[in-house]
Each structure stands twice: as C-alpha cells, then as structure tokens.
C-alpha cells in the first residue's frame, strides 16, 4: 500500500492547489503525507503536527489542498499497520467540524463530494478493531442510522457509552421523527435496565433533544452521583471523542449541570442535595465539584444566594481544605448576608488550608468575607496580607481559575470607614514600595475613593508627583482629600506628567480645586473644549465642575452630549445640567443608555448613566419603567462571570435604587 499511496501523492498537481496559510504551501501537505506513509508503524502523534499545520483548522477554511489530502489521510487512518491512527482520525473529525462551521465561500467547492466518497471508509473506521479508533471516529457517523448500527454491534463499554451520547446529539439535529423515536427507545431501555453510569449517560444523551429529562430524572442523578461506590465506574467507561483519557465523576457532573441551565431552580436543588449528601458522607471530591457548579449559578442568578448561604455557613467546619476554601469564598461574595457566620469566619483567619491550583488560603478568603461584612476583626494585617503576593515582583502571577482571590482594590475600596486603621500600613508601603511599586497606583485609587479620610497620607502622595507613572493618580487622590491637601497646590502645578494636553488640563483643574486660580483653569479647559475636534477626549467632565461659570461653553457641551463619543455623553449630560441647572435635556439624553438594557443589551455604560441620572435628580417615565423591569430580573446585571459579577450587580442595583428613589 505504501508505494501505491506514494505514487498517488505524486500524481496530484499540488502546485495548482490553494492552502489555508501562505506559510504552509500545498507542496508541504504532500511532504507531510509522504513522511507519514514512509514512517508507517513508527509514526507518533508529534509526527502528525505538520499535517495539522497544513490543514490549519483554526482559520475557518477548508481549501483545495485539504480536499486533495482527504483520501490520503483516510487511507493512512485505516491502515492497521500505521502508528498514531487515533490522531489521524482526530484530524478527520476536525476537518468535518471546520467544514460545518465555515462561513459561505470558505469551503472548497469539491469538498462535499470528496467527503461523500469517503463514507464507506468512515463506516469501516466505526467498526475498526481498535476501540480507541472506533470511539474517535464517532463524529464521522452519517446520522442516527450509522450510530444505531454501532449501538447494536458494540460490546466494549468504553465505546458503547460514547455511542449512546452520540445518539442523543444526532437525534437533536434530526428531522426524522421515526429516527428520533428509535433513539428515545434505546435511551428508555438503558434508563430501565442499564448500570448506574450508563443510566446517567442516557439522561445526558436524552437531554440533548429533551432538556426536561434531567428534571424528571433528578432523583436518579442524585442517587448515582452521591454513591461513593459508583465513583470509580465513571473513569472506567466515560470516554468521549478527542479526549484520550476518561472523564471522572466530577467532570461528568459539571458537564451534566450545564444541561440544566434552562432550569436554574432545578439545577440548584440538584446541587444542594449533592452537597448535603457529600457533606454527610465525607465525600470531599463531590462536595467540591458541586460547590463549584453552585458557584456558577450564583454568579448568574442572585436568587440562589438565599439557598447557598446556610450551606456555605455549615461547610466552614468541613474537614476538607478545598471545601472550607470554597465555602469561605462563597460567603465573602455574599457580603453582608454572611454576617451570621462572622464568628466562624474569624476563627478561620489563620487557616492555611489551600485548594489545589486555586489561589490563596482559606484564611485569605475568610478575611475578605469579614471585610465584606464590615467586621473589624479582618483589619489587622489586611493591607500587608494583600501586598504580600506582590512583594518584590510586579504581579502576583495569579490563576484565573475560579474561585480566586479578589483584586486588591476590590477589597480596599469599600473600606473608607476604616481608613484610620488601615492608613498606617498603606502609607508605610507607599514610602517603601511607592515609586514603581506594583500596587502604587492601586493604593492611590483606594485613597481617592476614601476621599477626605485619606488626608493623613498627604506626604506620601505628594512624593509621587515627580514620577509620570503615578503623578496623575496622585493628583486625583490629593483633590479627593479636600481642603486638607491645599498645601499641595504648588506641587501639583509643578508635577511631572505625560506630555498630553489633557493631562495639563487636569492639572489646572486640580490646582484650582486645591485653592488655585479658578478663572485661569476654566479658561484653559474651556478653550480646549472648543478646540477639540473630532469630539473625542475633550475635558467635558472637568468643565462641569465649574457650574454656571462655564455657561459660555454650554452649547459645546450640549453638542458633545448629543453627538460625542458614546463614553463621553453621560459625562456631558451631567456637565450640561451642572452648567444650566436644567435636568430635562440631560435626563432625556441618558435614556439611550437605560432603555436597551431592559431588552437585554450589554451593561457597558449603564452604571455611569445611572450615576449621572442620580446626580441630575431627574428620570424620565420611560427610563423609570425600564429600570423597574431590570431590577426585577433574576440575572446578574454584570458583564463578568466571576466574583466581580456579584460586586458589579450590587453596585448597579444600588444605583438603580437611587434613581428610582428620585421624585
């Protein structure tokens, strides 16, 4: 066969074909196929990489070079003496997926015919003597018919289970009601007579075309997943194409829970029952996995908090580090609702337990939870602990896996009421690690949020005015300190800034706010506003601070509100109201940021617009009605899907309440 294949390769006019990438011309495809044919049984997965590179599946194209290569890849994959056959079949399934997902005009015109000609070979791969090859070939099946044939013929449980899953997926995309009924009959029989893992697989397969089956079979799922004796059986048989290793029970739980996304209450009931059973049985892996899935529900659906709060509170005493870690994190995110568990959290402040590859310790999350509650027991050593991962380096090199530690600013920004306790440590770090420090700008942002309470840090902040990396952040912090920072006005006027006109305008504004010349600042900022073209980064927000004195520039501000960059228009709305005293035009202009959110639009400029409405003091009837609908939603009003989803949701809902409280 090898010589015949090599001869056939040489007969293809590769030079006339198109490749997906210029860096991998068609002739390279021929060389890659030739190399594999010559290496034969010694071929490894690594040897196939150049062939994958030539196909360039990630480009979203299937070119004529791939069409020409198809029969050769199939021939090599079918050759029983060939090495890396699993990898070659994986390439075939990848090509099929790429062709199915490619946009119009991005698949070679001859591809479909070439693929159809290979269907007898695909059926042969589905019946291959090697179970791994049969399993990997399942995506090559031509619908329910091929898969039903395999179901009745297959005896290897590591292939039989993925055939069952593939039947469910095939039925989901099948318009033939009779074929779907055949699949339903198979799944019903497995549910009645199969072993526990196969019964779970049947639920998963059935859910592909009938999501309610997972709801109906909830008791079965709870019984199987909570039976510790069944856990090893998952890894014995639960294989899926493209993954050479089996999925364990916890992997399958995550996979299955996603099938309940349409029914969050059922998903919550399922997970809480698993958590209860796992906690009673000392089944830490199941408890950790169920908590992770429950966490995913919490960051999407606020209503889950009421159910998860007592569960997390009870798990603070669990023997497993990973369970306590997740429970403390969950309570931290729930904030003030976790106050009933403050004593238990305080007892964990020195808990060094960790959770695998997740970041931080149980004590770190317990400390954050106490800060969210407002409990002062979290404050001693807090700033130092937050800084510790950055000691001597620019970042903490954290993992993005969830749950994870919060950003430093997310912990400290809300703690202005405790500034007196926290400032000594923060000032010390600014003195020792200030210029060029990893957290310097973060600490300056915190001082700005704390406002006048941060005034004792005046010397440390002034010392940063000479470094362009920090000077603008320092200027904002000094203005936030109010009259106590008036002595810094000369230093602000001399501060080192990046050479951009907007920075000079901000410095002039800050100098005025600290007691400098108002008229000079207004003139500089107003003239910059008039000269700004196109309407981009003009100092409209600064101009609003001057109130009626900025009346000569009102028309320009109005123009920005109506025609400026989208991010600038809420700022211009507040500035116009501040200058004219008339809230009507500004409130009407802000409708465009509020009304679409009620219809599912993104939250990009929603919060700034809400704050603008609250400051203006007026809301239109249409905006009010939209906000009532948004507030009633059991969806996080956030663009994140980690702990920040809860923080942003809290912030937005609070802002909505402020607006709805307007007369």
């Amino acid at each position: 066969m090898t010589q015949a294949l090599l001869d056939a390769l040489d007969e293809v006019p590769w030079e006339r074909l198109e490749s997906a990438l210029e860096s991998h011309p068609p002739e390279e495809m021929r060389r890659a196929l030739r190399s594999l044919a010559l290496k034969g049984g010694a071929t490894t997965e690594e040897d196939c990489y150049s062939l994958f590179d030539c196909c360039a599946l990630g480009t979203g194209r299937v070119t004529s070079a791939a069409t020409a290569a198809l029969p050769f890849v199939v021939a090599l994959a079918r050759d029983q003496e060939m090495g890396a056959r699993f990898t070659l079949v994986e390439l075939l399934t990848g090509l099929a997926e790429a062709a199915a997902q490619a946009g119009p005009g991005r698949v070679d015109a001859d591809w479909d015919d070439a693929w159809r000609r290979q269907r007898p070979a695909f059926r042969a791969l589905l019946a291959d003597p090697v179970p791994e090859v049969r399993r990997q070939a399942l995506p090559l099946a031509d619908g329910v018919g091929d898969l039903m044939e395999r179901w009745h013929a297959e005896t290897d449980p590591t292939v039989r289970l993925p055939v069952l899953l593939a039947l469910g997926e095939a039925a989901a995309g099948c318009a033939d009601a009779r074929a779907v009924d055949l699949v339903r009959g198979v799944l019903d029989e497995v549910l009645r007579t199969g072993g526990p893992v196969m019964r779970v697989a049947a639920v998963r397969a059935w859910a592909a075309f009938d999501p309610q089956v997972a709801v109906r079979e909830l008791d079965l799922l709870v019984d199987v997943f909570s039976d510790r004796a069944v856990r090893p059986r998952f890894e014995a048989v639960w294989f899926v194409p493209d993954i050479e290793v089996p999925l364990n029970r916890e992997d399958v739980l995550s996979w299955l829970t996603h099938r309940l996304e349409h029914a969050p209450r059922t998903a919550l009931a399922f997970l809480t029952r698993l958590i209860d059973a796992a906690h009673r049985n000392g089944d830490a892996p199941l408890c950790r996995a169920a908590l992770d899935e429950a966490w995913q529900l919490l960051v999407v659906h606020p209503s889950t908090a009421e159910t998860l709060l007592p569960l997390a509170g009870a798990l603070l005493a669990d023997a497993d580090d990973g369970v306590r870690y997740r429970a403390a994190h969950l309570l931290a995110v729930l904030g003030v609702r976790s106050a009933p568990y403050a004593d238990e959290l305080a007892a964990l402040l020195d808990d060094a337990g960790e959770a695998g590859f997740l970041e931080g310790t149980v004590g770190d999350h317990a400390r954050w939870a106490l800060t969210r509650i407002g409990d002062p027991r979290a404050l001693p050593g807090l700033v130092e602990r937050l800084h510790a991962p950055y000691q001597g380096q620019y970042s903490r090199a954290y993992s993005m896996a969830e749950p994870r530690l919060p950003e430093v600013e997310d912990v400290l920004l809300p703690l202005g009421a405790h500034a007196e306790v926290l400032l000594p440590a923060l000032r010390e770090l600014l003195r020792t690690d200030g210029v060029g420090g990893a957290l310097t700008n973060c600490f300056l942002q915190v001082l700005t949020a704390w406002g006048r309470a941060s005034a004792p840090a005046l010397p440390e902040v002034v010392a940063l005015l000479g470094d362009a990396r920090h000077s603008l952040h320092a200027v904002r912090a000094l203005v936030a300190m109010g009259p106590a920072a008036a002595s810094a006005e000369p230093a602000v006027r001399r501060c080192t800034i990046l050479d951009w006109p907007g920075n000079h305008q901000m410095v002039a504004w800050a100098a005025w706010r600290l007691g400098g010349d108002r008229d000079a600042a207004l003139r500089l900022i107003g003239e910059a506003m008039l000269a700004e073209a196109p309407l981009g980064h003009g100092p409209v927000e600064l101009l609003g601070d001057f109130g009626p004195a900025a009346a000569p520039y009102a028309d320009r501000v109005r123009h920005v509100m109506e025609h400026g960059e989208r991010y600038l228009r809420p700022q211009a709305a507040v500035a116009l109201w501040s200058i004219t005293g008339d809230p009507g035009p500004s409130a009407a202009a802000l409708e465009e940021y509020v009304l679409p959110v009620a219809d599912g639009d993104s939250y990009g400029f929603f919060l700034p617009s809400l704050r603008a409405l609250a400051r203006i003091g007026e809301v239109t009837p249409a905006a009010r009605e939209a906000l009532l609908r948004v507030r009633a939603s059991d969806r996080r009003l956030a663009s994140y899907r980690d702990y920040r989803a809860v923080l942003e949701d809290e912030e937005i809902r609070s802002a909505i309440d402020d607006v709805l409280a307007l007369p």
Side-chain angles (χ1 to χ4, degrees):
M1 172 185 169
T2 301
Q3 188 58 50
L5 189 146
L6 293 174
D7 292 342
L9 274 173
D10 291 338
E11 292 174 4
V12 175
W14 296 98
E15 70 281 357
R16 297 206 297 260
L17 301 179
E18 180 189 17
S19 61
L21 297 171
E22 289 185 10
S23 57
H24 297 287
E27 291 83 355
E28 187 175 329
M29 181 87 79
R30 182 186 70 82
R31 285 194 294 271
L33 289 166
R34 183 180 180 86
S35 174
L36 293 175
L38 289 172
K39 197 160 188 180
T43 300
T44 64
E45 177 182 339
E46 289 77 8
D47 294 322
C48 299
Y49 289 167
S50 61
L51 187 58
F52 275 81
D53 291 340
C54 292
C55 291
L57 301 178
T59 62
R61 299 178 62 203
V62 178
T63 63
S64 56
T67 301
L70 177 62
F72 300 106
V73 177
V74 172
L76 291 172
R78 289 189 59 193
D79 185 353
Q80 298 296 318
E81 302 301 320
M82 188 68 188
R85 296 178 63 223
F86 179 95
T87 305
L88 291 167
V89 177
E90 184 180 11
L91 176 58
L92 291 172
T93 62
L95 284 166
E97 183 179 2
Q101 296 179 353
R106 297 183 65 80
V107 177
D108 176 52
D110 295 327
W111 172 262
D112 289 342
D113 287 341
W115 187 263
R116 278 192 291 270
R117 287 195 294 272
Q118 297 301 322
R119 280 180 178 163
F122 296 154
R123 288 171 61 85
L125 287 170
L126 287 167
D128 194 89
V130 180
E132 292 79 8
V133 171
R134 296 200 303 275
R135 186 168 62 239
Q136 182 58 36
L138 286 174
L140 304 177
D142 187 18
V144 171
D146 280 359
L147 291 169
M148 287 295 291
E149 180 180 320
R150 290 314 312 152
W151 172 254
H152 292 300
E154 187 59 65
T155 58
D156 190 309
T158 68
V159 185
R160 194 164 171 78
L161 186 146
V163 169
L164 193 67
L165 298 176
L167 276 169
E169 296 297 332
C174 183
D176 184 344
R178 183 176 177 277
V180 175
D181 283 341
L182 288 174
V183 174
R184 190 179 287 109
V186 167
L187 297 174
D188 182 65
E189 181 182 5
V190 174
L191 272 177
R192 288 186 290 103
T193 64
V197 175
M198 285 298 289
R199 294 172 76 191
V200 171
V203 173
R204 175 64 174 81
W206 205 331
F209 60 95
D210 179 8
Q212 286 301 114
V213 70
V215 178
R216 297 193 300 269
E217 299 295 340
L218 204 62
D219 290 341
L220 162 68
L221 296 174
V222 171
D223 289 344
V224 174
F225 278 101
S226 59
D227 187 343
R228 297 183 69 176
V230 174
R231 186 186 185 221
R233 302 187 205 175
F234 281 90
E235 292 183 74
V237 298
W238 203 296
F239 288 80
V240 293
D242 292 337
I243 302 178
E244 295 189 57
V245 297
L247 303 186
N248 61 31
R249 177 188 60 173
E250 292 71 44
D251 296 328
V252 176
L253 173 61
S254 176
W255 199 28
L256 187 65
T257 304
H258 293 166
R259 286 294 182 187
L260 290 168
E261 288 179 345
H262 69 289
R265 291 185 181 180
T266 301
L268 182 62
F270 173 48
L271 294 170
T272 53
R273 289 173 64 182
L274 288 181
I275 293 169
D276 280 337
H279 186 47
R280 288 195 311 271
N281 300 334
D283 191 344
L286 177 62
C287 196
R288 293 194 297 264
L291 277 171
D292 286 341
E293 297 307 315
W295 161 248
Q296 294 300 323
L297 284 177
L298 179 65
V299 298
V300 176
H301 301 286
S303 63
T304 59
E306 183 178 353
T307 300
L308 294 177
L309 177 64
L311 272 176
L315 293 173
L316 290 176
D318 195 272
D320 183 74
D321 290 351
V323 171
R324 294 196 312 281
Y325 179 102
R326 288 166 171 81
H329 181 83
L330 199 152
L331 290 173
V333 170
L334 290 176
V336 294
R337 300 187 202 193
S338 302
Y341 304 99
D343 288 343
E344 290 88 338
L345 288 164
L348 296 176
L349 285 174
D350 296 322
D351 190 328
E354 296 179 328
F357 295 104
L358 299 177
E359 182 190 15
T361 66
V362 175
D364 290 329
H365 289 280
R367 188 179 301 276
W368 181 38
L370 288 175
T371 69
R372 293 265 290 151
I373 293 169
D375 191 306
R377 286 175 286 187
L379 302 180
L382 173 63
V383 174
E384 295 89 340
R385 181 61 186 166
L386 292 172
H387 180 261
Y390 297 86
Q391 191 80 36
Q393 57 191 33
Y394 188 74
S395 73
R396 70 181 197 243
Y398 56 80
S399 166
M400 290 302 292
E402 290 294 331
R404 65 182 177 91
L405 287 179
E407 302 298 330
V408 173
E409 59 269 26
D410 289 333
V411 179
L412 292 179
L413 284 174
L415 299 180
H418 303 285
E420 184 177 353
V421 176
L422 297 172
L423 270 174
L426 197 151
R427 292 178 65 190
E428 175 62 26
L429 287 173
L430 283 177
R431 284 193 294 270
T432 60
D433 198 36
V435 175
L439 291 179
T440 298
N441 285 340
C442 170
F443 288 153
L444 290 172
Q445 179 186 354
V446 170
L447 293 176
T448 302
W450 289 356
R452 297 190 177 190
S454 62
L458 176 65
E460 289 77 22
V461 176
V462 169
L464 295 170
L465 290 172
D467 191 295
R469 290 170 294 181
H470 311 302
S471 57
L472 293 177
H473 295 277
V475 165
R476 293 187 187 96
L478 291 169
V479 172
M481 292 176 186
S487 62
E489 188 262 339
V492 166
R493 284 192 282 105
R494 297 191 305 269
C495 78
T496 302
I497 57 174
L498 298 175
D499 192 17
W500 182 66
N503 295 342
H504 296 276
Q505 297 151 21
M506 198 188 86
V507 168
W509 163 82
W512 159 58
R513 291 288 302 272
L514 293 171
D517 188 333
R518 186 197 74 166
D519 293 340
L522 175 57
R523 186 166 52 253
L524 175 67
I525 294 169
E527 290 175 357
M529 189 73 198
L530 293 175
E532 183 73 21
L535 298 177
H537 301 281
V540 65
E541 185 175 21
L542 302 180
L543 197 60
D545 266 10
F546 293 91
Y553 311 104
D555 288 344
R556 182 63 167 175
V557 172
R558 188 187 308 274
H559 190 68
V560 174
M561 182 182 76
E562 295 172 351
H563 305 290
E565 293 286 345
R566 185 166 171 77
Y567 79 95
L568 276 178
R569 296 205 289 271
Q571 301 173 18
V574 173
L576 184 65
W577 160 78
S578 175
I579 293 168
T580 66
D582 181 3
S586 297
L590 290 166
E591 275 190 350
E592 70 166 297
Y593 297 91
V594 174
L595 302 186
V597 174
D599 297 321
D601 198 10
S602 69
Y603 306 105
F605 299 100
F606 190 43
L607 183 56
S609 301
L610 291 172
R611 289 172 173 162
L613 285 170
R615 188 171 172 191
I616 290 166
E618 183 171 306
V619 59
T620 65
R624 183 183 294 274
E625 192 275 333
L627 290 176
L628 287 169
R629 283 193 288 141
V630 171
R631 187 175 65 174
S633 168
D634 185 29
R635 300 284 298 186
R636 291 291 178 193
L637 308 180
S639 53
Y640 299 107
R641 283 296 177 264
D642 56 16
Y643 78 87
R644 293 171 296 177
V646 181
L647 303 191
E648 186 178 35
D649 181 65
E650 290 175 349
E651 200 170 15
I652 288 177
R653 288 181 184 276
S654 176
I656 289 175
D657 289 342
D658 291 342
V659 174
L660 291 177
L662 295 173

